[in-house]
Amino acid sequence: MNESFGTRLRARLDEYGPLCVGIDPSPALLHAWGLDDSPAGLERFSRTVVDTVSDVAAVVKPQSAFFERWGSRGIAVLERTIADLREAGTLVLLDVKRGDIDSTMAAYAEAYLDRGSPLAVDAVTLSPYLGFGSLEGAISSAVANDAGVFVLARTSNPEAAPLQRLVAGQVLAGAAAANAGHTPFGPVGVVMGATLPELEDSLLDLNGPILAPGLGAQGATAADVARLFGPVRHAVVPSVSRAVLEDPELLRSRVLSFRDECAAHLDARIATQK
């Protein structure tokens, strides 16, 4: 029997510490690495990140848009990147932010969560703005395939705050209901920015993982992660991309630094609460 996504994620976090590393091969980063903005540059960038961080990060998160912009050639690179990460034993979270009506959502689920798909990953990001119920097909597919989803709740981009404050409670309630009875985590995580001013109290009842983007380039620090998510320390997965990707020579050391700082601050926060 295959292990659930929650079980695999718990094991990775326990072994490698709390960090998700993005693969964001934007034109600016490709140029900063001295690479052409081309499918070849895309592949060189992605392979380097995989080789450098797959043995030190609990989760790696390719941003699908940077591959999609090259059409079939970019998708081919994404398929190889996913395959390389899975071969290395790394949990793969594909950042696609999909959300649509039932039939379309089922197609997205088949593309990203069905074990037989060339794009099959451990988890995807989803948008709930057609209603949390519109995600039911993807959540069911995730459970059937021992995969997971992370639903946007309150993200780290400031322009989203007015809208997301209105609906975050509904998202968190829907996620908690879907996670009921699962151990150690349910299949439905949420995205909560590490730049937020306060903890959503309902996160205490989530029974699922929390992806916390915003480290580094968006201004959040390991201390912010601990301040915000200390009460749910066991479930938080801080995420960093640009701040570690800017220089390939420093990539591994920066990943280790962010990972270890987050772990130390979260552990210290737990110690003060005892």
Side-chain angles (χ1 to χ4, degrees):
M1 183 175 179
N2 292 321
E3 290 184 324
S4 70
F5 170 69
T7 298
R8 299 198 309 279
L9 178 59
R10 178 74 273 152
R12 289 288 299 185
L13 292 172
D14 289 345
E15 182 172 0
Y16 294 97
L19 196 67
C20 170
V21 176
I23 301 182
D24 291 14
S26 67
L29 283 174
L30 292 174
H31 292 149
W33 282 37
L35 299 172
D36 292 335
D37 185 9
S38 67
L42 190 73
E43 182 159 20
R44 178 71 178 274
F45 182 100
S46 301
R47 189 175 296 275
T48 299
V49 177
V50 172
D51 290 343
T52 304
V53 310
S54 60
D55 64 334
V56 293
V59 182
V60 175
K61 180 174 66 67
Q63 169 48 260
S64 184
F66 291 121
F67 298 86
E68 292 173 27
R69 69 192 185 94
W70 285 103
S72 61
R73 293 177 296 168
I75 295 300
V77 175
L78 179 58
E79 288 182 8
R80 288 192 291 272
T81 301
I82 291 170
D84 289 343
L85 286 166
R86 293 180 75 88
E87 184 177 355
T90 308
L91 281 189
V92 188
L93 168 58
L94 187 59
D95 199 350
V96 290
K97 299 183 178 73
R98 300 296 195 249
D100 216 314
I101 61 172
D102 293 350
S103 58
T104 312
M105 197 72 252
Y108 284 136
E110 183 179 356
Y112 303 121
L113 300 175
D114 189 289
R115 294 189 193 117
S117 170
L119 289 170
V121 290
D122 294 285
V124 293
T125 55
L126 298 179
S127 172
Y129 296 108
L130 270 71
F132 194 88
S134 69
L135 307 180
E136 182 178 348
I139 294 171
S140 296
S141 181
V143 172
N145 288 281
D146 299 305
V149 301
F150 285 85
V151 183
L152 304 182
R154 293 190 64 187
T155 58
S156 55
N157 51 312
E159 62 272 19
L163 171 62
Q164 291 179 346
R165 277 197 297 264
L166 297 176
V167 300
Q170 297 176 49
V171 172
L172 292 169
N179 290 331
H182 290 271
T183 56
F185 292 132
V188 183
V190 295
V191 181
M192 300 289 293
T195 54
L196 296 174
E198 74 285 323
L199 178 74
E200 289 275 353
D201 290 340
S202 51
L203 279 177
L204 298 173
D205 302 318
L206 178 66
N207 191 35
I210 303 157
L211 182 71
L215 276 179
Q218 295 185 58
T221 66
D224 292 323
V225 171
R227 171 188 56 80
L228 194 59
F229 299 107
V232 286
R233 179 255 185 270
H234 67 288
V236 70
V237 187
S239 181
V240 64
S241 297
R242 280 176 290 168
V244 299
L245 296 173
E246 292 171 338
D247 186 336
E249 298 299 323
L250 299 176
L251 173 58
R252 188 177 179 89
S253 62
R254 286 180 176 174
V255 167
L256 289 169
S257 178
F258 272 104
R259 184 196 70 180
D260 294 347
E261 285 182 16
C262 285
H265 279 276
L266 286 164
D267 287 344
R269 182 76 175 185
I270 290 296
T272 62
Q273 292 171 344
K274 291 181 179 179

